[in-house]
């Protein structure tokens, strides 16, 4: 396949769930040359991309890759992305999400005469304790993070804005709301429930599904729609700006569970597992996506039910 105008993209932290989808999209739809960094202990099965080992906590390693590739577009995906894990390991979350981001930005800043566009992936969790009249929430809203992960992503957002203004860098931020799809790790809710249901269907566990807080309300989008939004924002977004990426319509975790059970048809009992509850869990996080739509014309293509069904099928093959 020919690479369009030799546009080079670099995905930092491409070894995870979102990285694989983003790499495929940039290669097959944008026709860009795709480069990916991963951690040494990760494996990436991808024939079309150039793959580099680099750790964002080691600025020299990341600077070398960026300097060698000199991409036009940099997608910074590397993160400790689990809210739940951030309660267990706050220091690591701060290191990776805050210091790691500074290293990426400084690596770029220290290369003379080089001005790529950089997309920083933040989170809808940054908004935190959202007041009733603030939902669906827009980018101008005050941030009141309610957990360590959210605090690090809010910090990343502040740093991105500061660097973009102070050093005139082309940095754009997104606040991604919950994204889901086949291949996501089972520590995230939809994957977690689908995996348990697939195990129940196969008789690998008793017909009890263990759940956490079912009353939380979240805004879910298919990962394939999310990466399409990222590619549009990096091309059309304004430096120093932040864009929500979500569906615009939130749903309770209980309703998500009921959809999964209905698709499966399995006979299951629901049991709350205290270990899955969090010290704080924001009640509702729902995106106002008008800024994204206005800037890019993005619309979701995948219906929630179909994404859930694809995710269940994935786990049926895996267990
Ligand atoms: N994981 C999990 N497992 N979550 C559960 C469960 C369960 O059994 N039962 C209920 N929940 C609730 C959680 O308490 C939370 O309110 C919601 O389901 C979603 O949890 P996760 O899927 O773990 O995701 P998250 O919302 O904490 O974080 C995800 O979304 C953020 C954007 O809103 C991650 O993808 C983050 O990286 C992302 O920034």
């Amino acid at each position: 396949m020919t690479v369009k105008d030799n546009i080079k993209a670099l995905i930092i932290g491409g070894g995870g769930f979102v990285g694989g989808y983003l790499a495929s999209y940039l290669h097959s739809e944008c026709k860009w040359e795709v480069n990916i960094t991963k951690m040494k202990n990760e494996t990436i099965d991808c024939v079309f991309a150039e793959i580099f080992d680099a750790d964002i906590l080691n600025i020299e390693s990341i600077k070398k890759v960026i300097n060698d590739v000199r991409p036009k577009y940099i997608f910074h995906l590397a993160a400790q992305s689990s809210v739940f894990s951030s309660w267990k390991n706050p220091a690591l979350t701060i290191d990776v999400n805050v210091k790691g981001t500074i290293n990426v930005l400084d690596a770029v800043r220290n290369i003379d005469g080089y001005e790529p566009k950089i997309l920083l992936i933040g989170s809808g969790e940054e908004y935190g304790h959202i007041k009733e009249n603030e939902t669906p929430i827009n980018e101008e809203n005050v941030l009141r993070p309610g957990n360590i992960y959210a605090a690090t992503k809010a910090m990343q957002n502040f740093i991105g804005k500061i660097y973009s203004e102070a050093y005139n860098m082309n940095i754009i931020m997104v606040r991604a709301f919950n994204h889901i799809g086949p291949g996501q790790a089972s520590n995230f809710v939809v994957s977690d429930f689908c995996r348990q249901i697939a195990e129940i269907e196969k008789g690998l566990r008793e017909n009890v599904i263990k759940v956490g807080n079912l009353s939380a309300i979240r805004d879910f989008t298919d990962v394939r729609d999310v990466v399409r939004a990222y590619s549009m924002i990096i091309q059309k977004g304004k430096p120093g700006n932040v864009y929500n990426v979500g569906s615009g319509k939130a749903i309770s975790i209980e309703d998500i569970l009921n959809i999964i059970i209905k698709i499966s048809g399995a006979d299951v009992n629901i049991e709350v597992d205290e270990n899955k509850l969090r010290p704080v869990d924001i009640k509702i996080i729902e995106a106002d996506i008008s800024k994204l739509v206005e800037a890019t014309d993005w619309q979701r293509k995948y219906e929630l039910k179909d994404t859930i069904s694809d995710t269940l099928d994935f786990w049926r093959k895996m267990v």
Side-chain angles (χ1 to χ4, degrees), residues 81 83 123 149 178 187 189 192-193 212-213 216 276 278 281:
S81 63
V83 174
S123 169
Y149 167 81
N178 299 59
N187 54 332
V189 70
D192 185 340
F193 291 173
N213 172 22
K276 287 183 147 190
R278 303 170 183 188
D281 206 22

Side-chain angles (χ1 to χ4, degrees), residues 30-59:
C30 299
K31 315 267 187 252
W32 296 346
E33 179 190 311
V34 181
N35 299 269
I36 300 173
T37 77
K38 66 168 189 69
M39 296 289 281
K40 229 184 188 143
N41 61 352
E42 290 175 319
T43 47
I44 296 183
D45 186 18
C46 175
V47 287
F48 56 78
E50 191 83 36
I51 315 239
F52 302 86
D53 283 341
D55 181 348
I56 53 167
L57 294 181
N58 175 342
I59 186 167

